[in-house]
Amino acid sequence: ASLKQGTSFFHPRVFESALADYFFYRFGDEIDREAKTQDWLVPMDWSLMPQANSSAVMFKAVRTLPNHPERIISYFLCPIDADKILLMESTVARFPVYIHSPASPEKNINDWVSDEPMLNFVDELLRGIQVELSPEALARQRQALAQTPDAVLSEEFLPVKFI
């Protein structure tokens, strides 16, 4: 992303604005214009992540279409310099299972195979990430936050409407 002179991803509002732009870039065109529905709800399960010296967030993108293999994408994002954001993404997908017929997939695989253990594993993995900024990045962070010392990331970020 290109930033205006004097702005920084370390500033919470600039960081959140960049995330909203990313949501539109990544998910904004995945809509059903006739039914006026969007394929993704993002961000879901927004949570602030405690970091030693930088702000970070975790959230999910949840597909609204039933029976689609790519259902949930988990994210961890953190500004690592004035003009750089670390983005980690993990997709939990379930593809059709063919056991009884090569032509038609099994129905109701959610009844006999749970994806919860994998989703929990991804959450724990992302929660365990620790980001340590370089001394130069810390100086740029202090400079950005000195302009608005009370600025913090939003506790909530409602899903974006693409339609």
Side-chain angles (χ1 to χ4, degrees), residues 6 24-25 28 36 43 74 100 106 117 124 131 134 155 157:
F24 276 93
Y25 166 77
K36 294 188 172 140
S74 299
H100 298 98
E106 297 298 315
E124 289 302 314
V131 175
S134 70
E155 294 281 333
F157 198 129

Side-chain angles (χ1 to χ4, degrees), residues 37-79:
T37 59
Q38 58 192 59
D39 293 359
W40 292 94
L41 295 176
V42 60
M44 298 292 290
D45 299 334
W46 174 267
S47 61
L48 305 181
M49 302 303 300
Q51 291 290 312
N53 56 20
S54 188
S55 301
V57 295
M58 239 177 83
F59 60 88
K60 291 179 176 37
V62 178
R63 190 174 288 273
T64 60
L65 302 173
N67 303 322
H68 193 282
E70 186 181 57
R71 298 184 323 114
I72 297 174
I73 305 174
S74 299
Y75 286 92
F76 173 93
L77 288 100
C78 178

Side-chain angles (χ1 to χ4, degrees), residues 102-158:
S104 62
E106 297 298 315
K107 293 183 167 106
N108 302 323
I109 61 170
N110 289 333
D111 293 343
W112 47 279
V113 177
S114 173
D115 57 3
E116 285 302 312
M118 185 53 121
L119 292 169
N120 292 336
F121 171 73
V122 168
D123 284 350
E124 289 302 314
L125 182 70
L126 294 178
R127 271 192 212 100
I129 296 170
Q130 291 296 314
V131 175
E132 188 172 325
L133 300 177
S134 70
E136 298 83 9
L138 280 170
R140 287 186 283 276
Q141 180 192 50
R142 279 191 294 277
Q143 181 183 15
L145 294 177
Q147 300 167 9
T148 52
D150 295 337
V152 294
L153 287 173
S154 299
E155 294 281 333
E156 293 182 356
F157 198 129
L158 298 176

